[in-house]
Amino acid sequence: MAAYSSLKIHLDGLIGEYRVKYPYAKFHVTGHSLGGAMATLFTSELSMTGLKVTLVTVGAPRVGDSNFYDWFSKL
């Protein structure tokens, strides 16, 4: 979470710019290992804003507990 939090301000700025510049774009978030875990967290936040996002991770550690999994699966 600390690694994700250190990047979040930059990610929020970039996604804001991209949403304005490419309003009809499809967003794909990817990550490997720790990046996959961070991609999962970022995707959950983007999905909560109503943005449709595709997530692909490889070799990522588990993020959250069973409650998080159930909630995330419904996004």
Side-chain angles (χ1 to χ4, degrees):
M1 189 62 172
Y4 172 68
S5 295
S6 70
L7 295 176
K8 186 170 176 352
I9 191 165
H10 303 291
L11 294 171
D12 288 344
L14 286 173
I15 203 72
E17 289 175 26
Y18 290 152
R19 288 181 83 173
V20 170
K21 193 171 182 178
Y22 308 106
Y24 302 107
K26 295 180 182 178
F27 288 91
H28 301 269
V29 179
T30 65
H32 170 259
S33 193
L34 177 60
M38 292 190 292
T40 301
L41 295 171
F42 188 54
T43 299
S44 67
E45 291 192 15
L46 292 177
S47 294
M48 286 189 302
T49 67
L51 191 63
K52 300 290 183 190
V53 183
T54 300
L55 172 66
V56 177
T57 64
V58 178
R62 182 175 42 192
V63 177
D65 58 12
S66 61
N67 292 327
F68 177 83
Y69 174 80
D70 291 340
W71 172 79
F72 186 79
S73 296
K74 292 175 185 169
L75 285 176

